[in-house]
Amino acid sequence: MDSRTKGKTVMEVGSDGVAVITLINPPVNSLSFDVLYNLKSNYEEALSRNDVKAIVITGAKGKFSGGFDISGFGEIQKGTRKEPKVGYISIDILTDLLEAARKPSVAAIDGLALGGGLELSMACHARISTPGAQLGLPELQLGVIPGFGGTQRLPRLVGLTKALEMILTSKPVRAEEGHSLGLIDAVVPSAELLTTARRWALDIVERRKPWISSVLKTDKLPPLGEAREILKFARGQTRKQAPNMKHPLMCLDALETGIVSGPRAGLEKEAEVGSQVISLDTTKGLIHVFFSQRGTVKVPGVTDRGLIPRKIKKVAIIGGGLMGSGIATALILSNYPVILKEVNEKFLEAGIGRVKANLQSRVRKGSMSKEKFEKTMSLLKGSLDYESFRDVDMVIEAVIENISLKQQIFADLEKYCPQHCILASNTSTIDLNKIGERTKSQDRIVGAHFFSPAHVMPLLEIVRTNHTSAQVIVDLLDVGKKIKKTPVVVGNCTGFAVNRMFFPYTQAAMFLVERGADPYLIDSAVSKFGMPMGPFRLCDLVGFGVAIATATQFIENFPERTYKSMIIPLMQEDKRAGEATRKGFYLYDDKRKAKPDPELKKYIEKARSMSGANVDPKLVKLSEKEIIEMTFFPVVNEACRVFAEGIAVKAADLDIAAIFGMGFPPYRGGIMFWADSIGSKYIYSRLDEWSKTYGDFFKPCAFLAERGSKGAPLSAPVEQARSRL
Ligand SMILES: CC(=O)CC(=O)SCCNC(=O)CCNC(=O)[C@H](O)C(C)(C)COP(=O)(O)OP(=O)(O)OC[C@H]1O[C@@H](n2cnc3c(N)ncnc32)[C@H](O)[C@@H]1OP(=O)(O)O
Ligand SMILES: NC(=O)C1=CN([C@@H]2O[C@H](COP(=O)(O)OP(=O)(O)OC[C@H]3O[C@@H](n4cnc5c(N)ncnc54)[C@H](O)[C@@H]3O)[C@@H](O)[C@H]2O)C=CC1
């Protein structure tokens, strides 16, 4: 293969008259332009050869295709590759050449057929699959639309409602379900896949099997009026669920055109819309996230050293509170035997009860059987001492955020655990060097920072000190993968990457309300921006105890830029500590529904008089845009410090940390990507102006000042960073 080309197809013609075209582009046989153009020429050759009666398309090494080569979108966005004529692939190649050919084709699907992969198979005249293969159109998740005819063929094969479900949720179905839906014609074992597909193709030639062009099918489509109602409902849901994104609605337009005006018009609309969506900012953000998420496991100097992860056979967790029980749940769900240690019987029982409740909720929802529940729970053992720690391979400490307690625990662990055992802490803010001050085995100390609820939230922040060994990081990356978390490896500092970046966000919000801004308007603006909730609702959710413990760490470590607001401590004095006490910034009913509380004013006024702040008429009337800027530019500022200090190796890691740890909207590409979409010059100028008016909390850091003065991208690599990794 030429080093400049990406992938190819090969064609072999058998003595039975079947040409088998194999897609080859490891690791997932994505459809690059090279693969697609090769496919076209193989196909043309097959059609012109007299010894070919039918065609089978398959993928190399157990995978049909993971879809269009996503990096191709980036090339088009950057202008490094010219987009082919609109509709060239979906209409000229897949419809007019392949589907309309006078020789039939059958797709032989193994492993997966996603996006363009499934769309290519739907243009064939039949699909044979191996059991368990994943079939789906996940394009909306990437900000694009099914652009190889999927908006037209899927509804015609599986019906409009199911097609909408598959397209709008981006969730694949398994081959067996695909078979019952009519998407797949037969499911056969892997060893029989090619022979069955060949025979099927010849049977079509001989009219023993039907010759079906999916795009012309109408039997699964509902009558026009009903179809319009279904699409209207889908549009309403989409507007509600993805209010800041245009491409799902554009995709529905393509579907509707096909149903109302026929498949050719639908294909043309799909092609037009497919080309337009590529340049949407949300699409650029989502594609950036796709590659950045896969990039977090590539850590220079760690994962490029040929280290093999050691097998972690048993894990101990210290503390069965909110976090410890969640971490235990995540581990046993992935078959790790776990010992949970608590201080006394009562707390131990409560901890195990929390794990049980986490699993029982799955049983209630039907996603776990009773047998699986029993089997999973049997992996969990309780303990009140360290005797059972003698054969564990990893310990995760999750006791309360108290430095001396953690120091004592780490010193004890060294006595009881085997020498190879990884000593991890789930601390959310405390510098790991402090935790390990009384421990000799510095190379085994690492942060395994989960997010609450730990069995649900996808991020695992792996924190490395200057002493942590590369082997330990590799081991933890492997555990992270097994428990299905997205890991981000960061350096050690107070708050690490996520909490450190996002601490100024809550602080900015407190700063604004003390000067007259409405907290509920701030929450609403931030939610509209795309965060799952605003800063005040979030404080209520995590609880004021955690908020105060975190704030204390930041006040101690970054006093020059920490805004000390008394709002939360004042409320806590009155025993309102967030959602758990049913009162915080909001009031909560039995169903935990939040409602604004007029009494909040009292605390804000008191905090204002304590801090000596005055109501500022400008801040009282902030627009939504200004609210977003004043709450998120301080986050960008801190992210710049984290990046400049080498706490993160790449800006993209901070994007992933922000999305998976804080719920930053993925379609904005993450915090640094978003910042660059606004421009460093503008962000710098705003922060600089606010710092002159409102003080050092807003002061841009040296890194931001330097890049902002040149208008340079914030995410460009830091060349001389004192990288901690
Ligand atoms: C034609 C259209 O209308 C538009 C399209 O088809 S858009 C593409 C639609 N397809 C998709 O969205 C599928 C995207 N891929 C995936 O979901 C997953 O990669 C997968 C289920 C295919 C495999 O998952 P996995 O086994 O966990 O492997 P994963 O780590 O994700 O991917 C393996 C590698 O393949 C790459 N890859 C996967 N799918 C790719 C694609 N469609 N294009 C380019 N690269 C792809 C990944 O970037 C990764 O590369 P690195 O090893 O360099 O990091
Ligand atoms: N609550 C959150 O949202 C998050 C918390 N964290 C961190 O996780 C840690 C735990 O936090 P939570 O679970 O919220 O606290 P928690 O208060 O719910 O649980 C702590 C548990 O540790 C137990 N414990 C105390 N000393 C112990 C000892 N010597 N041996 C065994 N058990 C002991 C306590 O009995 C209690 O059950 C803290 O370091 C916190 O900063 C990290 C991420 C998020």
Side-chain angles (χ1 to χ4, degrees):
M1 211 183 292
D2 183 326
S3 63
R4 283 160 308 169
T5 59
K6 272 173 108 183
K8 62 177 180 180
T9 58
V10 293
M11 182 168 81
E12 272 179 59
V13 179
S15 54
D16 56 356
V18 177
V20 176
I21 302 178
T22 306
L23 311 166
I24 307 175
N25 190 12
V28 299
N29 299 324
S30 63
L31 303 174
S32 62
F33 287 111
D34 293 317
V35 169
L36 289 162
Y37 297 150
N38 262 230
L39 172 70
K40 175 176 178 279
S41 40
N42 281 158
Y43 218 87
E44 282 165 343
E45 187 191 330
L47 293 183
S48 68
R49 275 171 65 161
N50 290 335
D51 59 339
V52 175
K53 295 189 220 154
I55 296 138
V56 164
I57 303 180
T58 193
K61 303 218 166 129
K63 286 180 179 135
F64 185 76
S65 171
F68 181 65
D69 173 12
I70 298 165
S71 60
F73 293 123
E75 291 167 19
I76 294 169
Q77 284 161 352
K78 287 189 200 116
T80 51
R81 179 184 279 274
K82 205 169 160 299
E83 196 189 349
K85 168 179 93 106
V86 170
Y88 179 63
I89 292 164
S90 65
I91 300 176
D92 295 21
I93 302 183
L94 297 183
T95 307
D96 295 347
L97 176 69
L98 209 142
E99 193 176 38
R102 49 191 173 74
K103 295 180 186 178
S105 55
V106 172
I109 301 171
D110 204 359
L112 49 86
L114 297 174
L118 183 65
E119 294 174 89
L120 163 63
S121 78
M122 290 193 290
C124 294
H125 303 103
R127 285 148 297 282
I128 314 295
S129 175
T130 55
Q134 289 185 62
L135 315 166
L137 294 184
E139 283 97 335
L140 292 194
Q141 201 170 264
L142 285 168
V144 292
I145 69 157
F148 289 176
T151 62
Q152 306 306 308
R153 292 190 179 90
L154 191 62
R156 287 175 166 80
L157 282 165
V158 305
L160 180 59
T161 309
K162 186 67 193 179
L164 283 172
E165 182 197 311
M166 286 174 69
I167 294 173
L168 293 174
T169 63
S170 288
K171 282 204 186 117
V173 296
R174 296 273 170 200
E176 293 75 1
E177 189 185 348
H179 186 218
S180 64
L181 289 169
L183 179 57
I184 292 295
D185 296 278
V187 179
V188 299
S190 199
E192 293 166 27
L193 181 65
L194 273 183
T195 43
T196 311
R198 296 180 100 107
R199 204 172 45 240
W200 201 289
L202 291 171
D203 282 351
I204 297 178
V205 176
E206 281 151 30
R207 304 287 166 172
R208 284 198 292 269
K209 296 272 191 224
W211 188 323
I212 297 168
S213 295
S214 324
V215 85
L216 300 178
K217 264 169 71 75
T218 52
D219 56 310
K220 291 260 176 96
L221 292 180
L224 200 53
E226 196 185 313
R228 281 205 160 115
E229 281 306 305
I230 296 172
L231 284 159
K232 189 171 155 204
F233 180 76
R235 275 206 180 85
Q237 291 293 102
T238 305
R239 278 198 195 95
K240 244 193 259 160
Q241 281 158 15
N244 295 336
M245 284 189 275
K246 292 190 188 130
H247 70 282
L249 293 172
M250 292 163 84
C251 175
L252 292 175
D253 290 345
L255 265 134
E256 180 149 18
T257 304
I259 290 171
V260 175
S261 311
R264 191 76 188 182
L267 285 170
E268 280 161 7
K269 182 75 181 171
E270 180 195 272
E272 176 198 324
V273 168
S275 158
Q276 288 165 353
V277 296
I278 300 178
S279 47
L280 293 174
D281 284 343
T282 48
T283 304
K284 291 179 187 162
L286 288 167
I287 289 175
H288 169 73
V289 171
F290 177 83
F291 288 113
S292 304
Q293 194 183 351
R294 283 153 183 85
T296 62
V297 293
K298 294 165 193 162
V299 187
V302 174
T303 53
D304 49 8
R305 291 167 59 172
L307 294 166
I308 311 284
R310 292 174 294 177
K311 195 163 165 43
I312 306 290
K313 295 186 285 296
K314 198 177 196 182
V315 183
I317 295 171
I318 310 181
L322 176 73
M323 293 308 292
S325 57
I327 299 168
T329 309
L331 286 163
I332 57 174
L333 274 171
S334 295
N335 296 319
Y336 283 103
V338 169
I339 297 169
L340 186 66
K341 178 187 177 291
E342 258 296 349
V343 283
N344 58 38
E345 284 290 354
K346 191 171 146 220
F347 279 69
L348 182 58
E349 211 174 293
I352 293 178
R354 273 187 278 273
V355 178
K356 217 179 215 171
N358 290 341
L359 295 185
Q360 266 161 349
S361 117
R362 289 176 185 235
V363 177
R364 260 198 315 279
K365 287 181 198 146
S367 59
M368 180 181 260
S369 68
K370 285 216 168 90
E371 298 71 52
K372 175 83 180 142
F373 166 82
E374 297 296 341
K375 208 169 153 217
T376 309
M377 273 313 286
S378 73
L379 292 167
L380 183 69
K381 303 272 178 289
S383 171
L384 295 177
D385 57 39
Y386 292 119
E387 279 313 315
S388 50
F389 280 41
R390 298 206 183 266
D391 64 344
V392 296
D393 305 301
M394 176 160 88
V395 179
I396 303 175
E397 166 277 309
V399 305
I400 47 169
E401 197 75 332
N402 175 313
I403 298 189
S404 57
L405 174 62
K406 289 185 193 265
Q407 285 175 335
Q408 182 56 49
I409 288 176
F410 270 66
D412 289 342
L413 287 177
E414 207 167 26
K415 289 185 218 139
Y416 289 92
C417 300
Q419 282 200 345
H420 71 274
C421 179
I422 297 169
L423 308 177
S425 173
N426 179 52
T427 177
S428 40
T429 41
I430 308 175
D431 184 328
L432 288 170
N433 288 324
K434 286 189 188 153
I435 293 180
E437 250 169 34
R438 287 154 61 184
T439 317
K440 282 190 226 78
S441 322
Q442 296 287 330
D443 58 332
R444 294 193 271 142
I445 296 180
V446 67
H449 182 209
F450 291 79
F451 291 75
S452 178
H455 57 297
V456 177
M457 289 291 282
L459 189 71
L460 172 61
E461 199 172 25
I462 300 179
V463 188
R464 187 189 184 197
T465 73
N466 285 337
H467 310 288
T468 312
S469 75
Q471 180 65 58
V472 165
I473 303 293
V474 167
D475 296 343
L476 209 50
L477 279 169
D478 189 52
V479 173
K481 187 173 174 196
K482 295 208 165 98
I483 61 174
K484 301 181 188 72
K485 301 285 175 201
T486 294
V488 174
V489 178
V490 300
N492 180 37
C493 65
T494 300
F496 318 126
V498 178
N499 284 341
R500 194 174 144 187
M501 281 194 292
F502 275 87
F503 186 60
Y505 160 71
T506 320
Q507 290 222 304
M510 299 294 166
F511 175 94
L512 293 177
V513 294
E514 280 198 13
R515 277 151 192 80
D518 179 338
Y520 303 119
L521 281 184
I522 293 181
D523 269 7
S524 150
V526 168
S527 301
K528 278 194 206 159
F529 175 74
M531 296 291 285
M533 62 189 84
F536 298 104
R537 181 70 186 80
L538 180 66
C539 280
D540 277 1
L541 184 72
V542 297
F544 292 179
V546 173
I548 291 172
T550 312
T552 310
Q553 286 299 319
F554 283 93
I555 291 168
E556 261 176 38
N557 289 281
F558 310 118
E560 75 295 350
R561 56 180 193 269
T562 310
Y563 182 70
K564 296 178 205 75
S565 166
M566 287 303 288
I567 302 178
I568 287 184
L570 283 171
M571 281 202 267
Q572 210 189 24
E573 256 173 36
D574 272 4
K575 302 211 167 10
R576 45 190 304 161
E579 194 179 311
T581 56
R582 298 236 187 144
K583 273 186 189 172
F585 287 97
Y586 293 81
L587 294 176
Y588 296 87
D589 64 17
D590 288 348
K591 292 190 179 118
R592 305 211 142 192
K593 195 166 162 14
K595 124 173 153 213
D597 181 6
E599 290 245 312
L600 183 61
K601 244 196 198 152
K602 185 175 92 185
Y603 298 99
I604 297 175
E605 275 161 14
K606 198 158 174 200
R608 183 178 298 144
S609 73
M610 289 170 86
S611 67
N614 292 316
V615 170
D616 181 327
K618 254 205 259 167
L619 301 183
V620 174
K621 293 191 305 246
L622 288 174
S623 67
E624 287 186 346
K625 177 173 175 275
E626 287 165 327
I627 291 175
I628 295 307
E629 293 185 353
M630 290 195 88
T631 46
F632 282 100
F633 287 0
V635 177
V636 172
N637 198 16
E638 199 61 36
C640 285
R641 286 191 182 94
V642 167
F643 188 37
E645 288 169 24
I647 297 295
V649 212
K650 347 185 231 323
D653 287 351
L654 295 178
D655 288 331
I656 294 303
I659 292 168
F660 290 93
M662 285 304 296
F664 194 83
Y667 52 83
R668 297 193 190 274
I671 191 74
M672 298 294 267
F673 187 91
W674 174 71
D676 277 340
S677 73
I678 294 170
S680 59
K681 202 173 212 160
Y682 178 71
I683 298 177
Y684 168 70
S685 72
R686 299 303 288 147
L687 283 166
D688 192 45
E689 188 189 319
W690 298 329
S691 72
K692 284 176 186 142
T693 319
Y694 303 118
D696 279 356
F697 171 70
F698 291 102
K699 193 173 171 199
C701 67
F703 175 91
L704 181 52
E706 196 227 319
R707 295 210 171 177
S709 66
K710 297 184 215 140
L714 299 175
S715 56
V718 178
E719 279 166 22
Q720 273 127 39
R722 289 167 289 113
S723 175
R724 303 197 183 190
L725 295 173

